[in-house]
Amino acid sequence: GCGGSSDKKDSSAKTEDTKKEAKSDGTFTFALNYMPNSLQPSAQSSDDLVSAIRPIYEPLFAETKDGLEYYLADKLDISEDGLTYTLHINDKATWSDGEPVTVKDIKFTIDYGVLVYGGPTSFTKVNGGEVQINEIDDKTMEFVLPSVYDNYVRTLSQFYPMPAHAFDNDPSKIDDSTYFKTPGMATSGAYVVSEINEDSFVYTARDDYYRGTPSVKKVVIKTIGSGSTKQIEFENGGIDYMRVTSAEDLKKYKEESDKYNMYSISEARLNYLQLNPHGPVMSTLSQDARKAIFLALDKDAIVDFAWGSDELAEPANSLITPDQSIYNKNCKGYNFNLEEAKKLAKSSGLEGKELTYIYNSDRANMESVATVVQQQLAEIGVTVNIESCDTSTFFPRFFASKDKELATTWDLGTNGWDSQRGSNCGQAISYFTNRLCDCGYSDEVSGLAQKAIGTADAKEKQELWNTIQDKALEECWEYPLTYTNFVMVSQKNVTGLDGSSVVPEFIDYLSIHMD
Amino acid sequence: MPSQKKILEVKNLKKYFPTTQKQQLKAVDNVSFDIYEGETLGIVGESGCGKTTCGKTCLGMYPVTDGEVLFHGKNIHSMSKKERFAFTKRVQMIFQDPYASLDPHQKVYDIIAEGIQIHGMAKNKTEEKKMVAELLEMVGLNAEHAARNVHEFSGGQRQRIGIARALSVNPEFLFCDEPISALDVSIQAQIINLLMKLQKEKNLTMLFIAHDLSIVKHISDRIGVMYLGKMVELTESSKLYVEPKHPYTRALLSAVPIADPEASAQKERIMLKGDVPSPVNPPVGCRFAGRCENCMEICRKEEPQMIEIVPGHYVACHLYDEIPGSKGQKADASLLARVQST
Amino acid sequence: MPLLIQELNGEVHPVGNNIVITNDSFAKLEKKKTVEVSVERQSVWKDIWKELRKNKVAMVSVVLLAILIIAVLLAPLSPYDPYKLDASQKLQGISSSHWFGTDEYGRDYFTRTLYGGRVSLLVGFMSMIMTVVIGTSLGVFSGYVGGKVDMFLMSFTDIFLALPSMLLMVILNTFLKPGLPTLIVVLSLFSWASVARITRAETMSLKERDFVVATQNLGASNFRVIVKHIIPNILGPVIVAASLSVANAILMESSLSFLGLGVQIPRASWGSMLQGAQAHILDYPLLAVYPGVMILITVLSFNLLGDILRNALEPKIVE
Amino acid sequence: MWKYCLKKTAQVVIVMILISFFSFAIVYFAPGDISDMYVNPEMTEEQKANVIAQLGLDKSMTEQYFAWAKRAVHGDLGVSLSNKSAVWPQFMQRLPATIILMGSSMILSLLLAIPLGLWSGYKKNSWLDNLISSLAYMGMSIPSFWFGMLLIIVFAAVLKVLPSSGMHTVGNVSAFDTFQHMILPCITLSIGHVAVYIRYIRANTIGQLSEEYVLTAEAKGDSQTKILFRHVLKNTLLPIITLMGMNLASLVCGSFIVESVFGWPGIGTFAMSAIGSRDYPVIMAYVMLSGFLLVVGNFIADLLYAFVDPRIKRGGASGGK
Amino acid sequence: MNNLLEMKHVAVNFAAYGGTVQAVRDISFSIEEGQTVALVGESGCGKSITAKTIMGLVKKPGKVMEGSQIIFEGTDIAKYSSKEWKKFRGKECSMIFQDALVSLNPTMKIGKQIMESLDNHAVTTSKEEKKKKVIDMLKLTGIADAEKCLEKYPHELSGGMRQRIMIAIALISHPKLLIADEPTTSLDVTIQAQILAEMKALQKKLKMAILLITHDLGIVADVADKIIVMYAGKIVEEGTVREIFYHPVHPYTKALLNSVPRLDRDGKEMLCTIEGNIPDMTNPPKGCAFCERCPRAMNICAQYMPEEKTVSSSHRASCWMMDERAAKGGVAHA
Ligand SMILES: Nc1ncnc2c1ncn2[C@@H]1O[C@H](COP(=O)(O)OP(=O)(O)OP(=O)(O)O)[C@@H](O)[C@H]1O
Ligand SMILES: Nc1ncnc2c1ncn2[C@@H]1O[C@H](COP(=O)(O)OP(=O)(O)OP(=O)(O)O)[C@@H](O)[C@H]1O
Ligand SMILES: [Mg+2]
Ligand SMILES: [Mg+2]
């Protein structure tokens, strides 16, 4: 268990004198790979930073399967015409320094985004038109869209307000200040930052938190470099939970269920293999080449090798994930057919070619996928040269627009799509129609998607979506690989880690308990 | 027998080496002498006095700082590449260290044949082989030795190989830089004999350097004595021993041990004081002044010039400065008396 | 012991200390000229071999390396495909069919280790060759020419020596297109400097040595001097440097691979195998042990060889 | 002596300029357009041009270099791309951790190597010498990251006696705790150096013991201990100073790897993540900083050596051999 | 006079790669009090090893063989323990070496290096007294500003000065025997003459015996009372200076004397040479070691080692030529 918790009490007592009466004083510890340089919530570029920010900053709300899960906001109304979004902020929501969370903070954060981006952002510009943002009162504000844009809900959900009062409402002051690097910054979440060390953060619970008082009084986040050290640390009780990404570990921790708790949450994520129609080799080949590749892939084997257990990932059949209500379980997809693949490879001229494959080496299991795909394509006479990229090189290449030189440097690549949960299909549409690289979605599919939004009848809508899913698979350059689960293992005394289903970090600190 | 034809003329030769402190190490400072065809000129002097530097500069291995060296009347330091190449065929050198002067990774044959190859002296391989064999024979080695590696040979044998290499291009002038000082006493005589024999046979002109006066005297026709970059005395070898003029020469001669207890016991010793000064910052005036028993005031101020006190006998010492009206000899006689009385 | 001679009667007199005096004992000794038949050329390589044979440790290293190199060359004889995945054989322990067990893709680890060795040794040897060629040519040139050129080149070399090479390798490797050639180039780029220093120093001292002066004095061209005299004489130190440089390159490569900057999948070097094994270090530590031990053995052998050669060759060079 | 200092200083400055140019060139010639990191597709051409001009990216390479160098001299190493804050303070914050690690590794190396090397050389070819030498060879040949991994497995995973990562337990600021955290990385970082030092000291000791002056000392009637400690020790250890200066480079590189293996919060891990995220200003700063560290370290070692060795001190620079 | 030192059947071997080098092979000689004995011979004949044996300084891989006796003032020092050796060295017997630069510790001040010798054989005196002693000694060896010299390092001094320092170190404790191993080889002739003269003067003053090792017969003629000629690890001839120089017996001694040109003689005639080289000491010839190079070698020379014969009470030599039957064998005896 968390043996160190009792003796840690004294040293941090100074910073939390308001918390002395709290009885349950467990310290919840977890690890990051890299130390974030700042805790500024809008800088959330890595999974690590998201995890570090989760206990201290909150979004307005989140989309789930069953509707919206409210945090700082407690109400979002969308007008009949779908143009006006009225947002109401929780009356009790305050910053940790006592100031209430107001619309000023929202506006401030949006302004900061515009400032940093050097131009209109998705908040302020929709479908090419400007969004009008009106402050109704301290706690209410209004977003008036120029045209209907279903996805604006998602836009608003991915948003951590920052304390405007700390910067005199001037967003340009943020970049130069050390505010988000200094303990005591105003937070909107359940915790305040009490220590920032070279390789760790210490957070302490707030007692004026609007959603209640967390039972875990202290959260410690430390950085542990390599994967195996993290595991050692976990097994030694140094950290309270970690993510499990290999079947062997899963099996091992399962067997020791007297020592550990397991949690598994669907990630609402699609891992897919992208063929690049602009790739150096792919661009020279016919559509059959694409088909040959898709038929040559054995999804089950990929899952088996790369994840090793269907508890970690299941083979995907559609480009939409099961966490979305429009998902079609019966979408056929491609079935492994080596003979056919070989035939097509030969006829399309694919055979004997060398393809360049890129993947993000910072993501778990991607290297294994690459290894397996390479071997499977070898069967149809295709040589795959794999280039491992770190996050910062991967995305510019993977999402390079077609006119960029980078777009022509690769033929194959794997990536994941965070699909979010719920009935909202806006994200799916943007996914199908708005891709940065032109990946073969025909106008027909895009049109169908547009039509699907406009359809009110649930059954008809679903049918349209079923068609889209089939058609998309038929013509597009993406091959759905897996739907993954976020599997965590925690020490036995830690419960309630699965209190939230907010993507991508699932923990709700209010529901964690430590005995 | 030495003729009167000058083969090498050295005129006011200066060779300074730059040192780190912007100062110059005056290794050879204003030295002049001639070498006549067929003679052996010996140069003696203490370690570091510039003997090797002088010799090497005369062979064009170092550029001169000042002065000139004429070989058959031609300045060797302003030769074209082609002339220089031809010059290397006429002038050769024998080194002090028989170990360092032979490439350890070559065979005796390769070493000796190198000069023949460079100058294309052999028409074909067989002729080359024959020439190498002859050379080996000449220096007292066997033709069979050609196929061996140098490290199988002793010091004396190595020195013979070195001599064979030098002779391979049929030079007329040979510069021997202490060719025997690295050898054992019992071997030294072999090399001396060999050199003397070869000189006679091939009518070689030699510049022979050593710090062992007895050996220099044995082999040379004339001897030059150097002290701290300067030539202090130059005369025929027989004369030098009988009537040394320069105080340094006298001290040197008296200091040379003689392998005969009786002669040794009778010998008068002139003990010098102090050490040789550094060539980096040589004293003004006469360089020997600090150690000289006959040091006069002028010695510390003015540098003595080489003067010919008797025909063929040159000395650089203020003791022999010409007194106006009389020839140097007189001054010499009177001063000598004073010297001997002290 | 002083020898005693007692004269006895007769022609042959065996004496106390076995001295036998015959009639012609006191006749002049006929000395025959002893001419030994020629000895074959003593190349550096022969020298080296002779020295190595004397040294037990060196022999062990040579044998180990020989075994390793042969094994690695014979890797294709293995019944297993080093790349073929086999789901049924994932993470098997040691058995008679899998000597080192299998990895998480069911590939025979022994075969993988052999193929990994190919890459590691290839990288080691190739970058050694580049290092030595660049270093030696620069060093010899700089040392032979001397003067301003030498000063300039050596400052340049000094900078390369002062740079945190590992770090720059990491940076360059991330920026350049990854792959074996990049790796080899980057490795040699940062290791030629020490070879250049050594060869320069050797050349400088050789240049002043009498045998070189003698050759120059015979009218030899600079080219001839360098090729015939300088190069053969610095071969010893260069071979030593080469041996140490292989060791260094393998070690560096493994570090880079460990940081994920090595060869591309599915190829593996020992370093990248170690990186792969990291994920299983708690459950299957053996996966990390084999390649690690291989690196250790190889590097150790090359280091030992280099040092033994240095000791063996150095006095000769000085002589 | 002063001249020597001056000359060395000039050398340092030149090398630093070259290193700075080198680190600048790395980034300048790195594939991909740096300006891509600053502009985004939604910007208008004008805005893009503005940004580029602001960053000075439209200027020639030399101009850019001088602008950058000028700022660098004033301690302004630019702003990190990934977190938009100044690079210099971030380095300064992490530098102590690295210095502590490097420093203690250096001390540990010397503490181990001096007695072992001396003993090993003194008792040449004894079984103890053979043992020490073999270990030294192992130390030299073992990949340090692998050794670190093994240490972690043994001491953290199996024996559970030492922490595997980080610099201290959160909330525990005691020196002992830091010490505990330091043991494994310090050993890992030291292993190669100890080996090099041992072999060097051993060879030196053997060399010095065979010097003629040792014979003189013996002929005076000096005891073995006196010879070893009064005569040989100083002559043996003097060159170590230079060696230490030279080894700084590998220490910096070693700490780079060791920090990432042990999650040590120094500049190594910082640089590693900067390399991962192509954070050019940080990378440049790191190359500069480590280059500076090396050059200055070497400089100090040279001066120190010149100062403690009477042959150089009194003889001037010319006697430096 | 008394024998100060007596060497009896001393043999020293070196274990080397190629086999065992028999550096010193069964030599016996003695040194009387106050006497100057010169040990001459070619390079590698074992002179230095002999000297080191007397000082107990033969190091691995060298080994003084069983049966060697070194009797110094009546005690066999060959059997000394390392502690006794320490007391012996420097106090009873001192040694100076050929190259003074490498024989002095480069990083220790001259004064300290000389002082050490006094410290080791502490006749409890105060520091000042010791210093005074050192300065006196330095002055004795002919160093003018001795005080200044104490604070210097070896590299700051000239070759002659260094050699004087070496002499001072050796003599500071007034040893009874001084071993000088080629003390002037690295010096110039004029300096050599100074050093030799100073050594002679000191010897008279301190009444010590000197074992002088050299290969320069000229020096020997000047300094020595008695000469020992070594060849290939053996003593081939031993006698007083006059005996050796004027009545040499052994062909090697004769050749050695004749191979050096003499300054006081004129003429350019060929020198007397000794052809060939010294034998390989790992595998010394079973007969006379000089046999190979000897112009008068006889059959027996190649087979048996000659026994030592006396010419006079002080003159001994080992050569088969001395056997009375040699003349009969055919070759005339000189
Ligand atoms: N290449 C060089 N660079 C700098 N100084 C040199 C060089 N060669 C010789 N010297 C110096 O010049 C002086 C004369 O040297 P040189 O070798 O000519 O003396 P030498 O009379 O031959 O001495 P030795 O008898 O020791 O051979 C010495 O002080 C030496 O240190
Ligand atoms: N450490 C050693 N290992 C092997 N052989 C040695 C060693 N030291 C000396 N010898 C051998 O002992 C023999 C005698 O050496 P020694 O030094 O006594 O000669 P030396 O007469 O003093 O010669 P030199 O005049 O050159 O000083 C030599 O043949 C030498 O090879
Ligand atoms: Mg010379
Ligand atoms: Mg000797």
Side-chain angles (χ1 to χ4, degrees), chain B residues 15-19 25-28 43-56 62 96 177-178 181 209-211 226 228-229 278-280, chain C residues 208, chain E residues 188:
Chain B
K15 176 65 201 166
Y16 299 167
F17 291 109
T19 61
L25 189 151
K26 299 180 175 170
V28 175
I43 293 183
V44 283
E46 291 181 274
S47 179
C49 71
K51 305 180 297 289
T52 304
T53 310
C54 180
K56 284 192 170 174
Y62 293 135
Q96 171 174 10
D177 185 12
E178 311 202 22
S181 63
I209 287 179
H211 53 238
M226 281 186 77
L228 207 61
S278 150
V280 177
Chain C
E208 303 293 325
Chain E
D188 293 324

Side-chain angles (χ1 to χ4, degrees), chain B residues 89-336:
Chain B
K89 192 173 172 298
R90 303 173 73 177
V91 173
Q92 277 303 310
M93 172 169 179
I94 295 166
F95 295 85
Q96 171 174 10
D97 187 349
Y99 292 88
S101 59
L102 302 182
D103 189 339
H105 287 108
Q106 281 197 320
K107 288 186 177 245
V108 173
Y109 182 90
D110 299 331
I111 291 170
I112 298 177
E114 188 150 36
I116 300 172
Q117 287 162 5
I118 290 170
H119 289 278
M121 293 165 65
K123 281 193 215 79
N124 50 35
K125 209 80 197 160
T126 22
E127 195 182 339
E128 187 181 293
K129 273 184 190 156
K130 214 178 111 220
M131 288 169 86
V132 171
E134 274 169 14
L135 282 163
L136 281 171
E137 214 75 54
M138 194 190 294
V139 296
L141 292 170
N142 282 325
E144 283 87 350
H145 286 135
R148 296 217 214 156
N149 287 294
V150 279
H151 63 81
E152 293 169 51
F153 292 90
S154 67
Q157 287 171 313
R158 280 172 187 239
Q159 202 57 290
R160 287 168 193 267
I161 296 169
I163 295 171
R165 169 177 60 194
L167 295 179
S168 69
V169 292
N170 266 326
E172 55 193 271
F173 182 81
L174 204 55
F175 166 40
C176 308
D177 185 12
E178 311 202 22
I180 45 150
S181 63
L183 300 176
D184 252 336
V185 200
S186 65
I187 313 288
Q188 285 183 355
Q190 298 174 15
I191 300 298
I192 294 289
N193 285 351
L194 175 64
L195 282 171
M196 285 170 68
K197 185 190 92 176
L198 287 171
Q199 190 195 17
K200 224 177 265 162
E201 280 172 10
K202 311 202 122 200
N203 193 27
L204 285 168
T205 309
M206 290 210 296
L207 175 62
F208 188 96
I209 287 179
H211 53 238
D212 188 336
L213 199 54
S214 12
I215 284 165
V216 176
K217 182 176 165 252
H218 184 81
I219 198 170
S220 316
D221 300 309
R222 290 192 302 143
I223 297 179
V225 181
M226 281 186 77
Y227 185 79
L228 207 61
K230 290 254 175 205
M231 185 80 82
V232 294
E233 188 159 2
L234 174 67
T235 184
E236 277 156 39
S237 56
S238 49
K239 258 199 196 155
L240 188 78
Y241 182 70
V242 192
E243 31 184 320
K245 299 290 181 194
H246 199 280
Y248 174 65
T249 317
R250 281 203 289 269
L252 191 65
L253 278 167
S254 79
V256 174
I258 290 178
D260 183 339
E262 269 168 21
S264 182
Q266 283 163 9
K267 195 168 170 179
E268 228 179 299
R269 292 272 144 79
I270 302 170
M271 282 298 160
L272 291 177
K273 303 167 295 229
D275 288 308
V276 189
S278 150
V280 177
N281 228 340
V284 268
C286 176
R287 299 205 171 162
F288 186 60
R291 300 173 76 195
C292 184
E293 330 171 87
N294 312 108
C295 178
M296 302 175 291
E297 217 160 284
I298 187 170
C299 299
R300 298 200 186 274
K301 286 184 198 133
E302 240 177 79
E303 234 183 270
Q305 297 301 312
M306 268 290 224
I307 42 174
E308 194 170 8
I309 51 168
V310 261
H313 196 154
Y314 300 83
V315 183
C317 178
H318 287 300
L319 287 177
Y320 308 102
D321 277 347
E322 278 181 43
I323 298 160
S326 67
K327 273 279 162 212
Q329 256 170 306
K330 262 190 195 146
D332 170 34
S334 61
L335 277 162
L336 206 65

Side-chain angles (χ1 to χ4, degrees), chain E residues 135-184:
Chain E
I135 291 171
D136 288 346
M137 191 70 231
L138 281 179
K139 283 193 174 138
L140 268 184
T141 57
I143 292 174
D145 49 351
E147 281 91 347
K148 245 193 213 157
C149 195
L150 294 183
E151 293 302 308
K152 287 191 171 167
Y153 287 96
H155 68 96
E156 298 172 79
L157 300 175
S158 69
M161 295 280 261
R162 285 185 208 130
Q163 201 55 276
R164 289 187 175 96
I165 304 289
M166 283 302 292
I167 293 173
I169 291 177
L171 299 187
I172 189 98
S173 302
H174 301 300
K176 300 192 181 88
L177 175 64
L178 172 69
I179 300 172
D181 189 355
E182 315 204 11
T184 56

Side-chain angles (χ1 to χ4, degrees), chain A residues 123-378:
Chain A
F123 290 98
T124 60
K125 199 171 177 183
V126 164
N127 294 338
E130 231 167 89
V131 179
Q132 246 182 350
I133 302 173
N134 307 319
E135 296 172 30
I136 309 291
D137 59 39
D138 265 6
K139 292 278 182 184
T140 320
M141 68 193 304
E142 211 178 62
F143 300 87
V144 184
L145 309 192
S147 56
V148 177
Y149 183 63
D150 239 10
N151 204 32
Y152 205 68
V153 177
R154 180 172 194 247
T155 306
L156 289 177
S157 73
Q158 293 195 317
F159 176 42
Y160 295 86
M162 293 188 277
H165 63 273
F167 297 96
D168 305 327
N169 254 328
D170 182 357
S172 64
K173 284 186 182 167
I174 294 183
D175 276 351
D176 298 331
S177 87
T178 54
Y179 188 76
F180 290 110
K181 295 170 201 161
T182 324
M185 64 185 90
T187 59
S188 58
Y191 293 84
V192 287
V193 181
S194 51
E195 273 180 51
I196 299 181
N197 305 311
E198 300 98 321
D199 57 349
S200 60
F201 299 109
V202 180
Y203 301 158
T204 21
R206 282 169 64 181
D207 54 0
D208 57 344
Y209 180 52
Y210 67 101
R211 287 167 64 219
T213 312
S215 83
V216 173
K217 295 301 176 209
K218 194 162 143 193
V219 173
V220 168
I221 306 172
K222 50 186 178 185
T223 35
I224 296 178
S226 63
S228 49
T229 359
K230 199 183 258 183
Q231 210 177 334
I232 292 169
E233 196 77 357
F234 175 71
E235 285 175 19
N236 289 352
I239 53 178
D240 288 306
Y241 94 94
M242 64 168 189
R243 188 178 177 177
V244 176
T245 52
S246 83
E248 290 81 37
D249 293 345
L250 186 69
K251 195 163 140 241
K252 178 167 116 188
Y253 294 124
K254 264 205 174 142
E255 274 164 11
E256 299 184 72
S257 59
D258 51 330
K259 280 161 84 181
Y260 307 112
N261 292 333
M262 307 287 303
Y263 307 88
S264 176
I265 306 163
S266 166
E267 253 192 307
R269 180 189 186 86
L270 170 76
N271 282 299
Y272 59 94
L273 175 77
Q274 174 85 56
L275 303 196
N276 182 1
H278 312 296
V281 176
M282 286 313 289
S283 59
T284 65
L285 300 173
S286 68
Q287 279 280 331
D288 282 354
R290 177 181 67 96
K291 228 179 214 156
I293 291 174
F294 287 171
L295 287 174
L297 295 177
D298 179 357
K299 227 175 289 196
D300 295 317
I302 294 174
V303 172
D304 192 18
F305 279 114
W307 282 271
S309 157
D310 52 6
E311 284 174 65
L312 293 171
E314 299 159 42
N317 61 335
S318 164
L319 289 168
I320 304 284
T321 66
D323 300 84
Q324 291 177 297
S325 57
I326 51 174
Y327 168 71
N328 178 15
K329 205 163 63 227
N330 302 317
C331 182
K332 278 205 271 321
Y334 289 90
N335 282 320
F336 174 56
N337 186 343
L338 193 57
E339 287 314 304
E340 186 66 24
K342 275 182 182 163
K343 230 184 276 163
L344 281 171
K346 210 168 244 151
S347 66
S348 65
L350 176 69
E351 202 185 47
K353 289 279 190 302
E354 281 192 35
L355 304 182
T356 309
Y357 181 117
I358 59 171
Y359 72 95
N360 183 350
S361 57
D362 292 341
R363 293 238 189 240
N365 314 96
M366 285 299 125
E367 183 181 314
S368 311
V369 172
T371 310
V372 183
V373 168
Q374 185 182 46
Q375 289 310 308
Q376 293 185 348
L377 293 186

Side-chain angles (χ1 to χ4, degrees), chain D residues 165-218:
Chain D
S165 160
M167 189 166 164
H168 32 66
T169 313
V170 178
N172 187 343
V173 286
S174 72
F176 179 70
D177 178 63
T178 309
F179 173 72
Q180 270 191 326
H181 278 80
M182 217 156 70
I183 294 175
L184 294 186
C186 197
I187 291 176
T188 310
L189 185 55
S190 304
I191 175 125
H193 297 272
V194 175
V196 172
Y197 290 153
I198 286 183
R199 288 183 348 97
Y200 192 79
I201 294 174
R202 175 181 181 270
N204 248 357
T205 310
I206 292 173
Q208 290 296 332
L209 279 174
S210 68
E211 288 285 329
E212 203 108 310
Y213 72 81
V214 171
L215 217 55
T216 312
E218 260 178 298

Side-chain angles (χ1 to χ4, degrees), chain D:
Chain D
M1 193 67 195
W2 275 115
K3 246 187 191 154
Y4 183 69
C5 284
L6 230 75
K7 210 174 119 190
K8 280 271 156 203
T9 317
Q11 244 171 14
V12 165
V13 171
I14 293 171
V15 170
M16 271 323 292
I17 290 173
L18 283 165
I19 288 181
S20 70
F21 197 74
F22 194 85
S23 62
F24 181 81
I26 287 180
V27 173
Y28 192 85
F29 291 112
D33 204 340
I34 310 172
S35 59
D36 272 359
M37 306 290 264
Y38 295 91
V39 301
N40 63 59
E42 305 256 320
M43 284 180 176
T44 62
E45 284 307 313
E46 196 181 332
Q47 277 173 319
K48 280 182 194 172
N50 255 340
V51 170
I52 288 174
Q54 217 173 10
L55 292 166
L57 292 176
D58 52 341
K59 299 219 183 75
S60 73
M61 177 175 172
T62 32
E63 276 176 298
Q64 282 188 46
Y65 169 71
F66 281 116
W68 174 74
K70 207 167 142 193
R71 274 179 278 126
V73 168
H74 292 104
D76 174 10
L77 292 170
V79 171
S80 156
L81 294 180
S82 60
N83 67 359
K84 307 279 185 298
S85 52
V87 173
W88 181 247
Q90 297 187 60
F91 265 112
M92 285 304 110
Q93 193 194 344
R94 287 170 172 81
L95 197 60
T98 299
I99 300 270
I100 287 174
L101 186 62
M102 278 170 54
S104 42
S105 151
M106 211 174 222
I107 292 167
L108 178 72
S109 307
L110 289 179
L111 282 184
L112 279 175
I114 291 175
L116 288 180
L118 265 180
W119 189 252
S120 195
Y122 181 58
K123 293 271 172 197
K124 183 172 88 170
N125 295 336
S126 66
W127 67 269
L128 198 69
D129 168 42
N130 287 339
L131 182 73
I132 293 172
S133 296
S134 323
L135 286 179
Y137 270 107
M138 296 283 266
M140 230 175 64
S141 309
I142 205 164
S144 64
F145 60 87
W146 186 60
F147 185 66
M149 264 160 76
L150 296 183
L151 285 183
I152 290 178
I153 296 182
V154 174
F155 290 99
V158 177
L159 299 177
K160 300 190 197 298
V161 287
L162 288 171
S164 62
S165 160
M167 189 166 164
H168 32 66
T169 313
V170 178
N172 187 343
V173 286
S174 72
F176 179 70
D177 178 63
T178 309
F179 173 72
Q180 270 191 326
H181 278 80
M182 217 156 70
I183 294 175
L184 294 186
C186 197
I187 291 176
T188 310
L189 185 55
S190 304
I191 175 125
H193 297 272
V194 175
V196 172
Y197 290 153
I198 286 183
R199 288 183 348 97
Y200 192 79
I201 294 174
R202 175 181 181 270
N204 248 357
T205 310
I206 292 173
Q208 290 296 332
L209 279 174
S210 68
E211 288 285 329
E212 203 108 310
Y213 72 81
V214 171
L215 217 55
T216 312
E218 260 178 298
K220 275 189 259 187
D222 283 2
S223 65
Q224 288 297 317
T225 30
K226 199 165 172 183
I227 287 172
L228 197 60
F229 291 105
R230 277 189 60 172
H231 291 276
V232 173
L233 188 67
K234 190 173 174 196
N235 289 314
T236 303
L237 295 188
L238 278 183
I240 294 288
I241 296 174
T242 319
L243 187 71
M244 274 165 64
M246 284 181 348
N247 264 16
L248 264 182
S250 61
L251 203 57
V252 169
C253 295
S255 71
F256 182 74
I257 292 184
V258 168
E259 280 182 19
S260 69
V261 170
F262 288 94
W264 190 262
I267 56 175
T269 36
F270 184 48
M272 195 65 198
S273 66
I275 291 170
S277 58
R278 306 287 147 107
D279 196 340
Y280 293 109
V282 178
I283 295 173
M284 280 156 89
Y286 187 56
V287 173
M288 277 294 286
L289 204 71
S290 46
F292 185 72
L293 208 68
L294 291 187
V295 173
V296 169
N298 269 324
F299 174 64
I300 293 174
D302 277 354
L303 285 192
L304 205 64
Y305 185 74
F307 191 73
V308 293
D309 191 325
R311 278 164 296 189
I312 297 181
K313 188 168 69 175
R314 301 244 183 138
S318 59
K321 270 271 155 150

Side-chain angles (χ1 to χ4, degrees), chain C residues 159-168 170-171 174-175 190 251 254-255 258-259 274 278 281-282 288-289 292-293 295-296 299-300 303-304 307, chain D residues 15 18-19 22 26 30-31 137-138 140-143 145-146 149 153 157 199 249 252-253 256-257 260-261 272 275 278 280 283 286-287 290 294:
Chain C
I159 292 167
F160 265 85
L161 282 176
L163 290 174
S165 52
M166 183 73 214
L167 202 103
L168 294 174
V170 171
I171 294 172
T174 4
F175 286 165
F190 289 100
L251 214 52
S254 72
S255 298
F258 179 76
L259 294 173
L274 277 179
Q278 235 194 335
I281 194 129
L282 288 178
V289 168
V293 169
I295 295 174
L296 181 60
V299 174
L300 186 64
N303 273 336
L304 281 171
D307 262 22
Chain D
V15 170
L18 283 165
I19 288 181
F22 194 85
I26 287 180
Y137 270 107
M138 296 283 266
M140 230 175 64
S141 309
I142 205 164
F145 60 87
W146 186 60
M149 264 160 76
I153 296 182
R199 288 183 348 97
V252 169
C253 295
F256 182 74
I257 292 184
S260 69
V261 170
M272 195 65 198
I275 291 170
R278 306 287 147 107
Y280 293 109
I283 295 173
Y286 187 56
V287 173
S290 46
L294 291 187

Side-chain angles (χ1 to χ4, degrees), chain E residues 266-331:
Chain E
D266 238 340
K268 274 186 114 180
E269 75 281 0
M270 291 286 160
L271 294 169
C272 185
T273 63
I274 312 174
E275 295 300 330
N277 294 295
I278 44 168
D280 174 16
M281 299 297 284
T282 49
N283 193 9
K286 71 177 187 231
C288 171
F290 189 60
C291 159
E292 270 287 299
R293 305 170 72 185
C294 183
R296 292 167 186 169
M298 301 173 292
N299 286 341
I300 195 166
C301 299
Q303 287 164 330
Y304 303 108
M305 256 193 253
E307 109 183 40
E308 192 176 83
K309 292 209 165 182
T310 48
V311 181
S312 74
S313 63
S314 57
H315 193 173
R316 296 176 295 151
S318 311
C319 178
W320 279 114
M321 293 297 294
M322 294 166 75
D323 194 285
E324 54 270 27
R325 285 158 299 190
K328 281 187 264 166
V331 187

